[in-house]
Amino acid sequence: MKLHEYQAKNLLKKFNVPVPDSNLISNLEEITTIQNNLIFPIVVKSQVHSGARGKAGGIKIANNINEMTKYATDLLGKQLITHQTGEKGLPINSVLLEEGINIEKEYYLALTIDGSVSKPIIISSPQGGMDIEAVAEKNPEEILKTEIHPVAGLLPFQSRNIGFQLNLDKALFAQLHEILTGIYEAFVDSDATLIEINPLVLTKENQLIAADTKFSIDDSAMFRQKDLFNIRDKSQEDSLELEAEDQGIQNYIKLDGNIGCLVNGAGLAMATMDAIKFAGGSPANFLDIGTANNPESVVSALQIIGSDPDVKAIFINIFGGLAKTDIIAEGFVKAKEQGLIQQPTVIRLAGTNVEDGKRILEESGIDFQLADGFAQGANLAVTASIK
Amino acid sequence: MAVLLDQNSRIIIQGMGAAGSREAEISIAYGTRIVAGVSPGKGGTEKSGIPLCNTVNEAVKKFEANVSLIFVPAPFCKDAIIEAINAKIPLIICITEGVPVIDMMVIKTVLENNKETILIGPNCPGILSPGEQARAGIMPIDVYMPGNIGVISRSGTLVYETVDQLTRLGIGQSTSIGVGGDPIIGTSQKKALELFEVDSETAGVVLIGEIGGSAEQEAAEFIKLMTKPVISFIAGTTAPPGRRMGHAGAIISGASGTAAAKQDALKNAGSHVVSSPSDIGKTVQEVLKNLGLL
């Protein structure tokens, strides 16, 4: 789950990481109640789940109240389209009004988990404000990775190493250590998977401050991070994906093709998308139905796929392990009988209870194409999607 | 012979709920020795004909257990895995999906101090050695046949798919290992390759990776040193960056996470990289024929 910038900054503040003073508004009336507290210039920042907001026109600098009101009016209620959001963009339901800071220099800091060493790592670079992927490609020597041992925690020598790498004045090392410690504590405390501070700004007043931040939480930790999941902003997520989640289908991702996919297992679901591309088609979604303990979950999944206007054909690819092919077959028959799917459907069944599954399909008298294997199924689905 | 799991494996189940006891029954019918279940408070009773113990320690003492298969819900996996490590169980397999990454980080630091313990998973289908009729996991049995190909996969269903393609071509398997789909797992693909490389009954290995992380690149470093052929496939060529594709670990978040980067690394290491998921079996057949192994 992603946090908004303002949510992330509120959280970091609790861990003694300095952030600029700000006010959040979700409508224009709120400006009148807060404007006395602000010192201009003020940065008006759209709160959407995307990077590159500045380039897309979602961040403006206001020098007075009139400008601030104008920018807030322009942004609130609009869709912000960045290269990460797709062409529909994301709704700007709130803007952060943040006091400008006098920038002396910008740095990059991030804390994430490195699966190859199974530890949190701090990634730091003197190239602040840049896309870190681009820095990693062009100037890999500008990036330092610092592993943190979970038992020892972040140690002062590690902060010093980072301080020297960033070429900071030694007088700032204590500040840097306090910020890094705060980020690490916030990371562990909130089951984060990523905290990125980009840029970390050194102000002309010699203060280090987190000017922008991205914050992601481990979805598997929802059971113990209820407070954070309560502030999740669903308006930033796809409506079909949310509907799928409401129906208990956690693993549905909308894609831009026209072949709806219902698969068990994430790996097979990805491979099915690959097979469709290989056969010359394009998948409309990723869907892992999981263990599918009852036909109703299959019916719900097919309802979501069937109601997607982009879907021209459906490919059901099941290799039963824990999932039983007869349950999937039953669900398909029910969805058809309830008129939830109109699109031509190709079904490939293998694994647990496959004979029962095939028998249920044959006895139903419903129109579908049975595929013998993976490749054949993908080919049939692509052909059906073109007709 | 097989890798990790054979007729000498004495398996206990931690988490004798619906899934745990059902899968135990299937394994027992196949010929696997499931010796006990662990259900705190129910020690001395039995379920599905399997005797229950209160603790893993008790199961080790009474039943000489040497494998633990874990089905407990994700919030309790840290506890269950570390209980098994403390009881000196040499092989622990965690099937459960959704273990928080931070819990896995802690488990890995405990494993660092218990180097004799092997953890497989979490979020995996388990291990099956068909020649030994040994199944510790959730995979369908009838797709397997005994033979000399090792299978390693991050994804469960792609284990079944791969094994099925092999069996249909008359190519049997020594052992299949599902290493798990999470960003932090107990045993890496590289470590699994090392086990197959020294197994006298394994002639070649199929490696099924997917997008996200850099585990395939690390595996590729070992493939360079291997004497046995490795046929590999990477799922997720068509996945969009930044989206988690079901598995917590399957997310393209850096250059090394893309399918192309992984395929390149594997190719450069001398692995036979399959592009279409339906050609895995066929490619294994060709490679084995060319090497005179079939």
Side-chain angles (χ1 to χ4, degrees), chain A residues 2 113-120 133 137 149-151 184 187-193 218-221 223-224 238 241 251-255 263-275 277-278 283 286 288 293 317 319-322 324 348 350-352 354 372 374-375, chain B residues 19 22-23 71 74-76 78 95 97-106 108-109 112 138-140 142-143 155-158 160-162 164-165 168 183-185 210-211 214 218 233-240 242-248 250 253-255 275-279:
Chain A
K2 285 181 189 167
I113 288 169
D114 184 343
S116 63
V117 292
S118 307
K119 290 185 180 72
E133 285 288 325
E137 206 173 295
H149 194 286
V151 176
Y184 180 63
F187 188 89
V188 175
D189 194 67
S190 30
D191 273 288
T193 53
D218 183 359
D219 292 326
S220 296
F223 68 89
R224 63 184 178 207
D238 180 86
E241 289 178 17
N251 293 319
Y252 171 86
I253 295 170
K254 178 80 181 88
L255 302 168
V263 189
N264 69 314
L268 189 63
M270 274 188 275
T272 302
M273 289 161 44
D274 298 342
K277 276 271 162 105
F278 222 78
F286 166 96
D288 168 14
N293 291 320
N317 187 14
F319 209 121
L322 274 184
K324 297 185 184 66
R348 181 273 182 126
T352 309
V354 64
D372 191 31
F374 211 141
Chain B
R22 188 181 60 238
E23 295 304 322
F71 285 93
F76 313 110
K78 182 169 83 175
I95 304 296
E97 182 177 355
V99 179
V101 188
I102 287 195
D103 289 2
M104 273 311 295
M105 232 161 56
V106 173
K108 290 288 273 194
T109 60
E112 275 176 23
I138 58 173
M139 53 293 269
D142 44 6
V143 297
S155 145
T157 37
L158 285 177
Y160 320 156
E161 181 67 46
T162 302
D164 185 53
Q165 288 184 23
R168 279 167 188 261
I184 298 183
I185 51 177
E210 57 193 38
I211 52 162
S214 58
E218 287 142 32
F233 169 74
I234 303 293
T237 314
T238 55
R243 301 302 309 267
R244 163 178 159 162
M245 305 305 279
H247 286 159
S253 52
S275 353
S276 166
S278 53
D279 292 341

Side-chain angles (χ1 to χ4, degrees), chain A residues 319-320 350-355, chain B residues 26 30 128 135 139-145 163-164 167-168 173:
Chain A
F319 209 121
T352 309
N353 300 350
V354 64
E355 295 314 319
Chain B
I26 296 171
Y30 181 48
L128 195 148
R135 172 186 185 262
M139 53 293 269
I141 290 164
D142 44 6
V143 297
Y144 283 85
M145 70 179 267
V163 168
D164 185 53
T167 298
R168 279 167 188 261
Q173 309 86 37

Side-chain angles (χ1 to χ4, degrees), chain A residues 90-105:
Chain A
L90 289 170
I92 306 170
N93 294 327
S94 56
V95 293
L96 190 65
L97 309 174
E98 197 172 74
E99 282 189 3
I101 40 181
N102 296 316
I103 299 173
E104 175 67 30
K105 195 161 172 9

Side-chain angles (χ1 to χ4, degrees), chain B residues 118-142:
Chain B
I118 293 179
L119 170 68
I120 302 286
N123 190 12
C124 80
I127 304 177
L128 195 148
S129 301
E132 303 282 328
Q133 287 164 280
R135 172 186 185 262
I138 58 173
M139 53 293 269
I141 290 164
D142 44 6

